[in-house]
C-alpha cells in the first residue's frame, strides 16, 4: 500500500523521466516531512556524482527519501509493536502510547486522533490503522516533543500578587549590539515583546525641541525619540502575551521633559496605561497578572504614596514638581556608578560593611534631591522604584508597591552572605537585577543564581546570544510563554527558610534518567566540506548549586545526518522546581575544543516522559 501511495504522489513529477535538486526539495515538501536543505543536497550530490549527472530518476528519489526519512531507530520501535511490520492497529498504537510514551490514559479515542492527524495514506486511515509513514510523521511531530504539551498553554494560577512570579525582563532594551557605540533601535523593543518579554527598560534623556530621547547616556549609542518607543510598545505589547507589561524608566530628564513623557504615555497608550488603582485606593497587596491583563505599568521614582496620587487624579498637575531625597552614593539605578563604593568612604565603615553587606550606611551619606514632575509621578501606581538601602530597612519601611533594583555584583554578595534575608525580601517586594556597568560588550550574567533566591525581574541583554539567554528563553517557554511564571511556594512564603546553598527540608529529590538515542540532520561542522561532524551530546542541569551538573555522551565519528548513541545519562536533582535542563550538541574538533552545533533548554518539570 505504501508503495502505491508513494508513487501516486511522486510519479507526476517524473513524467519527463528525471528531476533536479529543486524539484527534489519540492517533492519532499509535498510529502510533508521536515528536512534540512544541506543534508538533502549532500545525499542528492552523492547520488548524482556516481553518474556525473545533475538529475535523478524515480528509484534514486525513493532511495534519497528512505535515507532521509526512514530512520532505523523509528523502524525498530515500529517493528516492536507491529506484528506484521507493516501496519499498527489502533490497539497496538494504544499499547505503544502506554508503554513507551507513559500515556496511562491512552484509549481508542487517543489512538484515532493520532491516526487521523498523521496517517497520510487514506486507505490505511479509513481502516483505523497506522502505516510506518504515519508513525514517522507522528514521531517527528510537536506531539512527541520533549516539552510537555500542557505547559505550552497557560496552566498556572495567575491570581497571585505580581511579586509571586518570575517576570521575563530585558536590560537596555533599546540597544541591539554593544553598550558604548552601538545603534539604539526600535527593533530592540519589538523583538523583546515578540519573545514574551514583560519588563522593558527605557533610558530617557532630554532631547532637542523639548522631545525626550532614548539612548545609553554618556555614550555614543544612537538616539531614538521617546515618542517612537512608546508607539512601538503600544503596537506590540500584547502580541505574544495578554499579561501586563512594565516599563522600567531610567529617567534622566528635566521635569519639563518628564511632563512631555507623561503626555506621550497617556495619549499613545490610552486605556492600556494603568493610571489608577484597581478597586481599593488603599494598596495593601499587589494585584495579580490576571487583574492587570492588557495593562501597561510605569515603573519610576514617585513623590509620596499611591493613595496621595489618587486624590490628585482629576486635577491638572502640569507645571508641578515634587522632590525626592535619597542617599547619594549607594547607587543602584545609575549603572555607570556600579563601581562606586556602596557606603561612604572611610576605612572603618568599609571594613565592617564587607562582613555585613546588608547594613545601612554607618555615617551620614550625602543626600541628593531629585526633581520629579507630578504628572509623571502620578502615573506610577504599583511599581514605585525605591532606592535599596538594606533588607532590614526594606522590611521596616517599604510598601508592597515599592520595588528595588540591585546591580549584579552587589546582589551576588547578598546571595552568598545573606541568602535567607534575600529570599524573605523577594517574597514581599519585586526585585530587579541588572548587569554591571563594565559589561560594555552587552555580555550577560547567569540569571539562575538570582532566580534561585526569588528575584522577579532578572534583566538580561536580549540582543546577546549565549548560554545566559538560552536559560532565559528556556525558563520562559513554560506557562504558555506568557512571560510570567509562578514562583515555587518556598520562594513566595514570607516565613520561608529556604536558601539555595542549603535546601534542607525544601528538597524533593528526583532521579532523572535520559536515554540519548540518536540525532537527525544535525548542522554539519563549519570545517567540513562533506557535510559531516563528530557530534556528542552534553546534558547540563542548572539550578541550586548542588544540582548544577554536566554529563557527556561519547563522540560519533563523521556523522551529522544520523548519529546514534543509545546511551543513558542519569542525574539526581534536589530542587526540581528551580531546575532547567540544557541539551547541547557539539562537534568534537580536537581533544581540547568543541564547536557548538545547537542546543535546547527547558524547565526540568516541563520534560515529557517517553
Amino acid at each position: 500500500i505504501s508503495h502505491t501511495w508513494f508513487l501516486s504522489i511522486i510519479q507526476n513529477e517524473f513524467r519527463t523521466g528525471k528531476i533536479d535538486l529543486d524539484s527534489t526539495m519540492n517533492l519532499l515538501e509535498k510529502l510533508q516531512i521536515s528536512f534540512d536543505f544541506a543534508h538533502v543536497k549532500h545525499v542528492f550530490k552523492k547520488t548524482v556524482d556516481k553518474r556525473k549527472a545533475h538529475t535523478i530518476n524515480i528509484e534514486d528519489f525513493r532511495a534519497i527519501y528512505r535515507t532521509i526519512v526512514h530512520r532505523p531507530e523509528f523502524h525498530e520501535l515500529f517493528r516492536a509493536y507491529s506484528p506484521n511490520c507493516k501496519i499498527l492497529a489502533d490497539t497496538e498504537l494504544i499499547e505503544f502510547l502506554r508503554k513507551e510514551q507513559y500515556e496511562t490514559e491512552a484509549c481508542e479515542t487517543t489512538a484515532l486522533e493520532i491516526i487521523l492527524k498523521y496517517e497520510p495514506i487514506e486507505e490505511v486511515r479509513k481502516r483505523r490503522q497506522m502505516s510506518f509513514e504515519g508513525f514517522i510523521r507522528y514521531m517527528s511531530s510537536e506531539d512527541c516533543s520533549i516539552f510537555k504539551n500542557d505547559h505550552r498553554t497557560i496552566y498556572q494560577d495567575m491570581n497571585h500578587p505580581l511579586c509571586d512570579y518570575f517576570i521575563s525582563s530585558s536590560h537596555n532594551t533599546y540597544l541591539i549590539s554593544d553598550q558604548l557605540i552601538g545603534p539604539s533601535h526600535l527593533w530592540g523593543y519589538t523583538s523583546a515583546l515578540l519573545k514574551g518579554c514583560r519588563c522593558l527598560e527605557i533610558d530617557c534623556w532630554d532631547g532637542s525641541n523639548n522631545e525626550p530621547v532614548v539612548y545609553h547616556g554618556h555614550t555614543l549609542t544612537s538616539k531614538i525619540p521617546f515618542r517612537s518607543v512608546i508607539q512601538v510598545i503600544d503596537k506590540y505589547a500584547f502580541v505574544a502575551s495578554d499579561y501586563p507589561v512594565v516599563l522600567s524608566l531610567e529617567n534622566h530628564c528635566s521635569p519639563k521633559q518628564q511632563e512631555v513623557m507623561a503626555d506621550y504615555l497617556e495619549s499613545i497608550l490610552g486605556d492600556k496605561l494603568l493610571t489608577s488603582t484597581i478597586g481599593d485606593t488603599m494598596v495593601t497587596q499587589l494585584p495579580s497578572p490576571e487583574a492587570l491583563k492588557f495593562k501597561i505599568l510605569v515603573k519610576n521614582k514617585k513623590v509620596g504614596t499611591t493613595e496621595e496620587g489618587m486624590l490628585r487624579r482629576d486635577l491638572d498637575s502640569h507645571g508641578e514638581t515634587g522632590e525626592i531625597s535619597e542617599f547619594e552614593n549607594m547607587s543602584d539605578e545609575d549603572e555607570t556608578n556600579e563601581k562606586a563604593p556602596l557606603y561612604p568612604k572611610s576605612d572603618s565603615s568599609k571594613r565592617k560593611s564587607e562582613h555585613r553587606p546588608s547594613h545601612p550606611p554607618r555615617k551620614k551619606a550625602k543626600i541628593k534631591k531629585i526633581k520629579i514632575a507630578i504628572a509623571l509621578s502620578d502615573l506610577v501606581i504599583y511599581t514605585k522604584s525605591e532606592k535599596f538601602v538594606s533588607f532590614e530597612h526594606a522590611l521596616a519601611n517599604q510598601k508592597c508597591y515599592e520595588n528595588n533594583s540591585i546591580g549584579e555584583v552587589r546582589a551576588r554578595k547578598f546571595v552568598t552572605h545573606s541568602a535567607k534575608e534575600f529570599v524573605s525580601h523577594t517574597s514581599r517586594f519585586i526585585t530587579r537585577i541588572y548587569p554591571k556597568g563594565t559589561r560594555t560588550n552587552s555580555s550577560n550574567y547567569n540569571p539562575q543564581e538570582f532566580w534561585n533566591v526569588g528575584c522577579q525581574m532578572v534583566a538580561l541583554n536580549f540582543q546577546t546570544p549565549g548560554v545566559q539567554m538560552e536559560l532565559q528563553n528556556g525558563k520562559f517557554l513554560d506557562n504558555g510563554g506568557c512571560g510570567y511564571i509562578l514562583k515555587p511556594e518556598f520562594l513566595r512564603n514570607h516565613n520561608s527558610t529556604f536558601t539555595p546553598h542549603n535546601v534542607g527540608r525544601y528538597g524533593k529529590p528526583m532521579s532523572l534518567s535520559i536515554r540519548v538515542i540518536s540525532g537527525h540532520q544535525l548542522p554539519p561542522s563549519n570545517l567540513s566540506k562533506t557535510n559531516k561532524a563528530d557530534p556528542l551530546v552534553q546534558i547540563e542541569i542548572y539550578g541550586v548549586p548542588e544540582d548544577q551538573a554536566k554529563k557527556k555522551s561519547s563522540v560519533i565519528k563523521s556523522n551529522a545526518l544520523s548519529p546514534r548513541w543509545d546511551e543513558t545519562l542519569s542525574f539526581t536533582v534536589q530542587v526540581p522546581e528551580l531546575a532547567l535542563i540544557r541539551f547541547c550538541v557539539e562537534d568534537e574538533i580536537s581533544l581540547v575544543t568543541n564547536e557548538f552545533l545547537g542546543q535546547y533548554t527547558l524547565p526540568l518539570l516541563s520534560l515529557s516522559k517517553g
Side-chain angles (χ1 to χ4, degrees):
I1 287 179
S2 70
H3 184 67
T4 325
W5 162 81
F6 189 70
L7 282 177
S8 72
I9 289 183
I10 69 169
Q11 60 196 6
N12 211 6
E13 299 294 320
F14 288 95
R15 284 188 315 272
T16 55
K18 298 196 168 183
I19 64 169
D20 61 4
L21 180 58
D22 282 346
S23 307
T24 302
M25 298 289 179
N26 294 338
L27 255 190
L28 288 171
E29 264 175 22
K30 202 169 161 189
L31 285 156
Q32 290 177 326
I33 47 126
S34 51
F35 60 87
D36 173 83
F37 178 79
H39 281 286
V40 175
K41 184 179 167 184
H42 182 66
V43 177
F44 183 91
K45 211 165 160 318
K46 248 166 72 177
T47 311
V48 295
D49 278 359
K50 291 180 206 147
R51 295 197 302 270
K52 306 263 186 290
H54 294 293
T55 53
I56 57 167
N57 62 29
I58 201 159
E59 274 313 306
D60 296 330
F61 180 78
R62 202 166 161 201
I64 290 173
Y65 179 81
R66 282 190 170 152
T67 307
I68 298 278
V69 180
H70 287 197
R71 297 167 63 176
E73 59 273 37
F74 285 172
H75 217 198
E76 288 157 30
L77 257 181
F78 186 76
R79 283 209 306 267
Y81 290 89
S82 164
N84 66 358
C85 301
K86 288 196 174 71
I87 283 294
L88 280 179
D90 52 2
T91 48
E92 287 143 14
L93 180 55
I94 292 167
E95 192 191 358
F96 166 79
L97 293 171
R98 285 184 182 164
K99 278 193 184 158
E100 302 289 340
Q101 306 294 55
Y102 296 89
E103 292 189 24
T104 45
E105 308 288 295
C107 60
E108 203 181 346
T109 321
T110 330
L112 284 181
E113 276 173 11
I114 291 172
I115 289 168
L116 289 173
K117 193 167 172 187
Y118 296 107
E119 179 50 59
I121 306 170
E122 201 181 340
E123 292 165 67
V124 180
R125 209 169 44 231
K126 280 187 179 152
R127 290 204 299 260
R128 302 185 163 200
Q129 293 172 335
M130 184 173 245
S131 68
F132 183 47
E133 293 293 341
F135 187 70
I136 293 166
R137 283 159 179 73
Y138 165 61
M139 289 300 289
S140 315
S141 73
E142 286 280 278
D143 284 349
C144 286
S145 159
I146 193 162
F147 191 84
K148 264 189 185 162
N149 236 336
D150 44 357
H151 286 197
R152 288 172 193 277
T153 48
I154 294 159
Y155 66 95
Q156 295 177 345
D157 182 354
M158 300 305 281
N159 293 297
H160 288 256
L162 277 182
C163 58
D164 281 1
Y165 297 83
F166 293 118
I167 303 170
S168 177
S169 304
S170 140
H171 171 247
N172 288 355
T173 317
Y174 48 89
L175 294 181
I176 54 171
S177 91
D178 65 75
Q179 310 268 319
L180 294 178
I181 54 173
S184 303
H185 205 287
L186 292 170
W187 174 247
Y189 290 96
T190 309
S191 69
L193 286 167
L194 293 178
K195 283 181 191 160
C197 181
R198 300 287 87 190
C199 175
L200 308 171
E201 187 178 13
I202 311 181
D203 232 330
C204 315
W205 299 79
D206 278 359
S208 46
N209 305 327
N210 206 22
E211 285 282 346
V213 290
V214 173
Y215 82 113
H216 199 177
H218 310 303
T219 65
L220 299 173
T221 56
S222 56
K223 301 175 179 178
I224 34 183
F226 177 77
R227 183 191 64 237
S228 310
V229 170
I230 302 306
Q231 284 167 338
V232 163
I233 291 168
D234 176 59
K235 189 171 173 187
Y236 293 101
F238 303 109
V239 174
S241 166
D242 300 352
Y243 290 104
V245 170
V246 177
L247 306 183
S248 183
L249 302 183
E250 189 164 318
N251 200 337
H252 306 273
C253 290
S254 60
K256 190 174 174 213
Q257 294 209 10
Q258 289 179 35
E259 286 197 351
V260 177
M261 287 167 62
D263 288 343
Y264 281 143
L265 286 163
E266 295 203 68
S267 63
I268 296 168
L269 298 176
D271 288 347
K272 296 190 187 93
L273 184 69
L274 187 81
T275 54
S276 65
T277 53
I278 302 176
D280 230 354
T281 310
M282 281 299 289
V283 185
T284 50
Q285 187 188 32
L286 285 173
S288 68
E290 193 59 43
L292 292 168
K293 261 185 165 174
F294 301 114
K295 287 292 180 195
I296 295 175
L297 283 65
V298 175
K299 174 165 125 39
N300 192 62
K301 294 190 168 70
K302 180 176 177 68
V303 180
T305 65
T306 293
E307 290 80 10
E308 290 163 2
M310 289 297 290
L311 294 173
R312 267 194 300 269
R313 267 201 74 193
D314 302 320
L315 308 171
D316 180 19
S317 47
H318 276 72
E320 287 182 49
T321 59
E323 216 167 40
I324 294 174
S325 308
E326 55 184 39
F327 290 118
E328 174 88 83
N329 52 3
M330 303 176 341
S331 169
D332 279 341
E333 280 293 353
D334 188 5
E335 294 162 38
T336 44
N337 240 359
E338 256 258 67
K339 286 256 159 304
L342 303 179
Y343 304 101
K345 286 195 186 90
S346 116
D347 286 347
S348 61
S349 87
K350 203 164 171 208
R351 260 205 306 280
K352 281 182 203 156
S353 66
E354 265 161 26
H355 300 295
R356 292 199 288 255
S358 62
H359 274 282
R362 300 286 140 91
K363 299 214 168 152
K364 214 46 184 158
K366 215 166 121 203
I367 287 191
K368 68 169 175 181
K369 301 207 154 149
I370 299 164
K371 280 194 157 45
I372 295 197
I374 295 295
L376 182 63
S377 170
D378 284 352
L379 295 182
V380 177
I381 310 292
Y382 294 121
T383 40
K384 175 183 177 183
S385 302
E386 194 55 44
K387 185 70 103 182
F388 180 76
V389 179
S390 72
F391 294 133
E392 294 87 342
H393 182 267
L395 198 54
N397 302 289
Q398 204 159 304
K399 299 186 169 65
C400 68
Y401 57 81
E402 296 179 325
N403 58 71
N404 313 108
S405 283
I406 307 175
E408 66 165 295
V409 178
R410 194 176 180 195
R412 198 169 285 119
K413 286 180 184 152
F414 292 151
V415 172
T416 313
H417 301 294
S418 10
K420 206 163 134 205
E421 293 78 3
F422 209 160
V423 169
S424 159
H425 181 83
T426 61
S427 72
R428 294 170 168 82
F429 309 111
I430 292 178
T431 305
R432 178 175 172 271
I433 308 295
Y434 59 85
K436 59 187 176 191
T438 49
R439 292 183 181 272
T440 50
N441 59 348
S442 298
S443 61
N444 280 315
Y445 51 83
N446 178 352
Q448 186 69 44
E449 54 183 327
F450 303 117
W451 290 328
N452 285 345
V453 290
C455 297
Q456 293 83 349
M457 296 177 168
V458 180
L460 294 177
N461 294 305
F462 268 50
Q463 74 275 30
T464 310
V467 176
Q468 298 84 0
M469 269 312 290
E470 287 159 8
L471 296 177
Q472 156 78 24
N473 293 335
K475 185 171 187 68
F476 286 98
L477 284 175
D478 199 1
N479 205 26
C482 74
Y484 284 82
I485 290 167
L486 188 61
K487 299 200 284 184
E489 203 277 333
F490 54 78
L491 291 175
R492 306 192 308 253
N493 184 336
H494 292 349
N495 305 317
S496 172
T497 56
F498 171 84
T499 71
H501 300 278
N502 178 12
V503 303
R505 62 191 176 91
Y506 297 100
K508 297 192 188 126
M510 173 172 147
S511 61
L512 171 68
S513 121
I514 293 195
R515 190 161 146 243
V516 179
I517 302 171
S518 62
H520 191 52
Q521 304 187 67
L522 302 178
S525 162
N526 286 334
L527 306 172
S528 163
K529 300 251 184 307
T530 56
N531 219 45
K532 290 200 164 57
D534 298 347
L536 66 119
V537 180
Q538 179 163 285
I539 296 181
E540 303 160 357
I541 307 282
Y542 291 84
V544 298
E546 66 175 304
D547 285 341
Q548 295 282 11
K550 273 183 191 185
K551 293 192 177 176
K552 279 183 178 176
S553 73
S554 57
V555 176
I556 304 292
K557 286 289 177 203
S558 70
N559 188 346
L561 175 63
S562 53
R564 185 82 186 256
W565 287 278
D566 284 321
E567 292 168 33
T568 300
L569 305 178
S570 301
F571 301 87
T572 303
V573 180
Q574 297 301 319
V575 188
E577 300 97 318
L578 286 172
L580 295 171
I581 180 165
R582 179 175 183 259
F583 296 86
C584 182
V585 183
E586 295 178 340
D587 171 33
E588 186 181 69
I589 293 172
S590 71
L591 291 174
V592 284
T593 52
N594 292 343
E595 180 197 0
F596 171 83
L597 293 180
Q599 70 84 39
Y600 183 67
T601 304
L602 72 163
L604 186 67
L605 295 179
S606 298
L607 271 179
S608 206
K609 278 175 151 186

